Structure formats: C-alpha cells, structure tokens
Amino acid sequence: HLQDSAGIATRLPPRLEGRWVSTGCEVRPGPEFLTRSYLFYTNRLFKALQFYYWDPSCRDPSYSLVIKGKLRLRQASWITRGATEADYHLHKVGVVFHSPKAMREVASWINQTSGEGCRGFLPPGRSWAPGALYEVLSAKTERDCTAALGFAMHELSLVRVERHFQPLLQPQQSGSRLVEELYLGDIHTDWGERLHYRPTGYQRPLQSALHHVHPCPACGIISRADEHHPPILPARAALPMQLSGSWVSTHCEVRPAVLFLTRYFTFHGNNQTWEGHYYHYSDPLCRQPTFTIYASGHYTQGIPSSKVRGGTELAFKVTQARVTPMDQVTVVMLNSSEPGSCGSAGSWSAGVEQDITPTNGCLALGIKLPHTEYELFKTEQDTQERSLLYIGERPTDGSSPDSPDKRPTSYQAPLIQCAAAPEEFSNYISLKYVGRKDANGIEALKPLPVAFLLFIALLFLGWD
C-alpha cells in the first residue's frame, strides 16, 4: 500500500552536493520547533543553518545557528540497512539572536551549565544587538559552549538519499517531476542522551532546494533565508482533532534499532476504540515482510497538550493483539520462545496468524497485554489539502510511554487519511500480507538483546 515505493531509487554512497531544506516546521524532542537549510559543497565542506522558534508554526523566530564543518562519507552502514555512515568535524558554530528574550535565555543556559571557558559567554546586562553573530564553538580555540543548547550534529553520521518522481498535478500536464530527499540520523528523545547518541534511525527528511515536491510554500522561503533573516512560514489554520477513519503510512518508515515498518490505523470515534496493523520488514523499502502485528483497544478523550503547543494528549489502552510471522527466521524465533510467553509454543508457521492475548502478549517481541500508553497526536493538512495524522515519536531506547512523564514531545512520520472505504483497503492488505481488517494504533516494540540482533537482524525492536 505504499504509494511510490516502486519508484524510489537510492545511491551508495549518496551525492550530497547542493542545498537541502525542510518542507515545513519540524518538531524535535523537548519540544523544539525548527527549520533547517543545509548546504554541502563538492570539497566536503558544509554550512548548516538551523532556525529555532518559539511556536509550532515556525513564525516567531528565537535564534539561528550557523554550523560550518567538513563531512566525509564512509562505508554502508551494517546496522541501518540502506544508510551510509559518515564522519564529520565541526569548524565553528555561531548563534544569532532574534530578540532580547532569546539572548537572555540562551546566555543564561550557557552561563549556568557550561565550563569555565563559557561562563563569560555573554556578560550580564549585555544588550541585544540585532544581526550580531556570537561564536559558541571554535575548533581553533578549542572552545565549545554548545552543550547547554542540547546541540550536536550527530545526525550527519547517518546519511541516506532517495530519489523518486512526483506526477504533475495539473490535469493538462503529463509526466513527472524529480524529487530528492535527504534522510539524516534521528535525534534521541531523551535530552540527556542526545549529545552522545549515535543514530540508527532517521528524522524527518530534508528535500533538495532544486528538486522538491510541489507545491511546497516553505521550501522557497527556507532556501532563501539566512542566519540574519530566518524564514517565517505561512500561517496555517489550526485543525480540530478528528481521529475517526483510517490512516496509513505513505513511506517505509525507519526507526532506531533497525526497524522498518508501515502502519495502518482505524479509529472509531463513536465508541473510542481503535485497531492497528504494524507491518514489519527487513529492508528499507518495505518489500521483504518479516511479521505483522494487529492490535486493538480503546482510547480516552483528547485534551490540548500543555507542553507541546498544537498537540493533543490522549491515553491508549491495548487489550488484544495478534501476530503473523511472514518469514522463516521469525517462525524459528517464535517457536523457540518460552512456553506460555507468546501464543501456542511450537505451533507458529509462516503466514498463519495467532492470538497472543491469552498469553498476555509476546515476551519475544516485547509485547505486554493489557498495556496503556500516554500519547501525543496532531492533525494537519498538507499543501494538497489531504489530512495528515502525527502520532508521538517512540522513545529512542525502545521503551514504552507507559506513564504520563514519558509522553512524547515530538512526532513520527505523518500518516495520511484513507479516502477509500476501510473495508476495501483492509481486504487489499489481507491479500498481500495475510493480515486482518482495518487498523490503527499505538506502537510498543522494544529492542531485543544485542546478541539476538546477530541472530535475527531485523527483530531488534519493541512493542512501542
């Protein structure tokens, strides 16, 4: 059910030369609201601009970071299939404040939490100077005051470029348009871990400033911006949270801990119940299925998030689940599980679904039943006025947001609302994956021990 997986092409090693930009306002764990504009030169040098904002619409700039350095592509990643590993070296990082408030806040962070060499970064009472660039990292002087900002560029250590063709939208036109996307490493959901975390998944992709999706109002605005003139994105109307209906992945999704999957959810607003299918694969284009999880339960009424503006907080309870192994490696793993811990021991076979509710889940897959998760949701419309659903990002460590203090502060890749009847779509999925009917849901997939990863490369996951 992926809309364009057949047309995706990748190249190892990838070509990075040129400018890559955000396609909208991005949300990082914290939360942090930002847009990005990265320029890679042919001599391996790069200049990256990160624009930070007070608001989730990226209309009220706080400060901008100017990051300069050098990137060297290495070998294909043996952990994240389809990615290229890279080394980077930062030459300098500067910050430009866009308001006195931003200057006071950042200076306070740096002066309070940095070492001796940074405490005098900005003396108390220093007045705000519009457009002034303040150096927070210099390789020459060995000064680094970036830790207080939660800043790291480890995202550059994992790189993937995808190319595909977007059909022209106008009825009178034929043909297609090249789209290039740059996937960089994910940002750890735990602020304390992000400074030394080495990515195994991706964050929201950047797109080529020359070859991006159309229409993309944000692309041109961001590509023309600089550290002194941050992009101000167009105003967008807030949408009420309307979950009812079916929602599906549009791309193969990659998560930390070597997890490739697609999701298909159905929400029943009349009785606040949900169903979810999680289709897991061993490859980054989601063409080689390994197993499918069906889950269902109910959810609470949503309330506006006090922590992530624009988000809605809900709690989801998972009460039932079924698993369908799709390859022999998964079958062997499930048949080797401890009796009574995952369905009927020794009876698993490829393509045959088993109910794991009677065994209170599946220990081998990290699934526990019943299970409650504290979630963050958001709905938007894209530039083609299609409804998108953002569900909270899974904890990077593979744990589950099973308490209010672990509720996500950022989002996974968006799902798109299905226009067809749920029954038609679920029948299509059933034919292809021997799955069940409608879907929807909340993940809860935890990483298995590292030793197991060597035995079953893909099943390094968690029931998120």
Side-chain angles (χ1 to χ4, degrees):
H1 57 276
L2 300 182
Q3 294 184 351
D4 55 8
S5 66
I8 292 177
T10 60
R11 178 187 175 121
L12 290 175
R15 284 185 175 171
L16 299 182
E17 292 80 10
R19 185 174 297 280
W20 304 83
V21 297
S22 304
T23 56
C25 195
E26 301 178 7
V27 184
R28 282 185 174 178
E32 290 179 330
F33 308 112
L34 77 159
T35 58
R36 297 176 290 158
S37 176
Y38 291 3
L39 178 61
F40 295 93
Y41 300 96
T42 55
N43 59 359
R44 300 184 187 171
L45 295 176
F46 69 85
K47 178 182 179 182
L49 298 175
Q50 295 182 351
F51 308 100
Y52 290 83
Y53 303 80
W54 299 109
D55 67 301
S57 299
C58 290
R59 293 182 51 79
D60 186 8
S62 171
Y63 63 91
S64 299
L65 293 181
V66 188
I67 306 121
K68 295 182 179 181
K70 193 166 191 175
L71 181 73
R72 182 174 68 90
L73 298 176
R74 296 173 57 211
Q75 71 279 356
S77 172
W78 67 272
I79 296 177
T80 307
R81 189 174 166 191
T84 297
E85 295 180 355
D87 291 327
Y88 71 92
H89 178 70
L90 297 182
H91 297 159
K92 59 176 63 178
V93 178
V95 58
V96 176
F97 303 108
H98 302 305
S99 69
K101 176 186 175 185
M103 183 176 183
R104 286 194 303 269
E105 284 206 3
V106 172
S108 174
W109 298 341
I110 294 177
N111 290 337
Q112 290 177 18
T113 62
S114 299
E116 289 295 331
C118 297
R119 289 217 176 100
F121 166 71
L122 283 175
R126 176 91 171 258
S127 61
W128 173 58
L133 179 68
Y134 302 91
E135 194 173 77
V136 291
L137 180 149
S138 171
K140 283 186 178 180
T141 62
E142 298 183 351
R143 186 189 197 210
D144 185 357
C145 306
T146 60
L149 302 174
F151 169 82
M153 285 299 286
H154 298 326
E155 61 190 277
L156 294 178
S157 62
L158 198 69
V159 180
R160 175 179 171 87
V161 172
E162 290 187 357
R163 294 161 52 99
H164 65 273
F165 288 89
Q166 175 193 21
L168 298 179
L169 300 177
Q170 288 76 10
Q172 68 272 19
Q173 293 180 308
S174 61
S176 57
R177 177 186 291 112
L178 175 65
V179 175
E180 293 184 305
E181 294 185 309
L182 171 60
Y183 288 82
L184 297 175
D186 61 304
I187 308 299
H188 202 289
T189 53
D190 183 340
W191 184 279
E193 299 291 331
R194 65 195 295 180
L195 296 184
H196 53 262
Y197 168 66
R198 306 301 287 185
T200 56
Y202 303 119
Q203 58 185 304
R204 178 172 172 172
L206 302 175
Q207 293 193 1
S208 166
L210 293 177
H211 306 294
H212 57 77
V213 296
H214 287 264
C216 179
C219 294
I221 296 172
I222 296 171
S223 65
R224 291 188 296 270
D226 60 41
E227 59 269 31
H228 305 293
H229 306 91
I232 309 297
L233 299 192
R236 303 183 68 174
L239 292 180
M241 175 58 63
Q242 294 181 339
L243 279 182
S244 296
S246 297
W247 308 79
V248 68
S249 303
T250 60
H251 294 82
C252 188
E253 299 172 8
V254 184
R255 304 290 165 73
V258 201
L259 181 62
F260 306 101
L261 81 161
T262 59
R263 300 170 291 153
Y264 174 51
F265 305 157
T266 297
F267 299 89
H268 306 284
N270 57 337
N271 57 6
Q272 291 187 276
T273 60
W274 66 270
E275 304 170 76
H277 289 263
Y278 309 85
Y279 300 96
H280 297 265
Y281 305 83
S282 62
D283 70 294
L285 291 180
C286 289
R287 293 174 180 170
Q288 301 164 20
T290 54
F291 65 94
T292 296
I293 296 173
Y294 166 85
S296 63
H298 55 270
Y299 60 94
T300 63
Q301 189 74 31
I303 60 171
S305 172
S306 59
K307 194 168 186 180
V308 186
R309 286 169 56 191
T312 299
E313 296 180 352
L314 304 96
F316 280 76
K317 189 158 189 177
V318 187
T319 55
Q320 298 181 61
R322 300 191 290 265
V323 172
T324 307
M326 301 300 292
D327 67 353
Q328 202 55 39
V329 175
T330 309
V331 170
V332 171
M333 187 269 289
L334 293 176
N335 280 331
S336 302
S337 60
E338 183 180 341
S341 68
C342 185
S344 180
S347 65
W348 292 93
S349 59
V352 179
E353 183 182 71
Q354 267 207 52
D355 190 354
I356 59 171
T357 308
T359 54
N360 297 319
C362 180
L363 186 61
L365 297 179
I367 303 173
K368 295 180 181 179
L369 296 174
H371 178 77
T372 300
E373 297 199 339
Y374 295 84
E375 266 298 354
L376 179 72
F377 276 46
K378 176 179 71 169
T379 53
E380 284 186 356
Q381 279 193 332
D382 66 8
T383 54
Q384 299 177 43
E385 298 187 352
R386 298 175 300 185
S387 295
L388 302 177
L389 173 65
Y390 291 81
I391 299 178
E393 189 173 359
R394 310 312 306 171
T396 306
D397 64 5
S399 63
S400 169
D402 52 9
S403 61
D405 62 299
K406 295 180 69 176
R407 192 187 301 273
T409 55
S410 56
Y411 301 98
Q412 303 176 45
L415 307 173
I416 192 167
Q417 189 165 36
C418 301
E423 291 75 20
E424 295 175 13
F425 191 82
S426 61
N427 288 340
Y428 167 71
I429 290 181
S430 299
L431 290 172
K432 187 172 182 181
Y433 299 105
V434 199
R436 228 24 210 186
K437 284 203 171 160
D438 317 52
N440 115 342
I442 311 313
E443 274 172 340
L445 298 160
K446 295 180 182 171
L448 297 177
V450 174
F452 219 107
L453 174 60
L454 301 176
F455 167 59
I456 179 171
L458 172 66
L459 296 181
F460 193 56
L461 60 95
W463 170 243
D464 302 345

